[in-house]
Amino acid sequence: CKQALAGRPASSWTIVVGGPPLHCTADAALCSPVGFEAFSKVLEEESVDLHISGGVRAYERAFPMKDGQGCADDLLGDPAFVDEPCGPMHLVLPGAQAYNTTGGGPPAPWTAARSHDSSGFVVVDVINSTHLGLRAISDTGGDLDYAVVFKPRPEEKSGSKEEDFLTTLFWVGFVVAQLMCTSMFVRWVFSDGLSRRASSLHEVSMMLNGQPSEQPERVLSGDAL
């Protein structure tokens, strides 16, 4: 499996079909078999987006998994919308005919959706290079589960970071320029005020001492009147 994944051509989505069900809760004897940690680790290392398995006769979809645990951001989010998954999603197909009527144990914290009382099938819709649709349909035609996965392209992710950095840099420069202009204006007003105050005090002092003002007389012309 590792060699096949390593030699795969470049693609937007990587989906592995087959193998044992790695993360499910419907049947303790079939879910998480011996050695599943190693297989799950390979899927993570090779950046697999979706792993589809069967054999449990009960539908179950797990949140994206990493190191055997569901990612915190996904566990707190909307189960129907997975935004930038941290690891592979695991999907266990419902049975084609007979189904597991017991339901197994309780759902795990990383269980996004499950149904043990209906057979059916799953439709995987590759919407585009960034969106993947998952729809589980029961044998009666009803929806067992529906989810949309969003994964930005690598160039979009790096471009977004660069754009955010440039935007932040612009606003930092703008704020610094505003502070500098404000500081220069305050200093100018303060220095001009001191100059005017000193000039006024000098004029008052000269008037009190009976000395003529040093201010030039203003001559108004007839036009000015």
Side-chain angles (χ1 to χ4, degrees), residues 6-21:
R8 71 185 186 275
S11 60
S12 300
W13 298 95
T14 302
I15 301 173
V16 173
V17 180

Side-chain angles (χ1 to χ4, degrees), residues 104-167:
W110 38 258
T111 300
R114 76 172 190 169
S115 175
H116 61 83
D117 58 358
S118 178
S119 58
F121 59 97
V122 172
V123 176
V124 179
D125 182 13
V126 180
I127 302 172
N128 52 38
S129 60
T130 60
H131 291 77
L132 185 74
L134 303 173
R135 184 185 179 191
I137 304 174
S138 70
D139 51 1
T140 60
D143 285 342
L144 298 175
D145 181 32
Y146 183 80
V148 175
V149 185
F150 169 72
K151 183 185 70 171
R153 290 188 292 265
E155 60 269 19
E156 288 181 347
K157 188 177 295 185
S158 60
S160 177
K161 291 182 179 179
E162 294 176 359
E163 184 177 344
D164 291 343
F165 172 75
L166 292 176
T167 302

Side-chain angles (χ1 to χ4, degrees), residues 65-83:
M65 305 288 290
K66 187 174 184 180
D67 298 328
Q69 301 292 329
C71 304
D73 292 342
D74 295 321
L75 297 180
L76 298 176
D78 183 0
F81 181 73
V82 181
D83 187 15

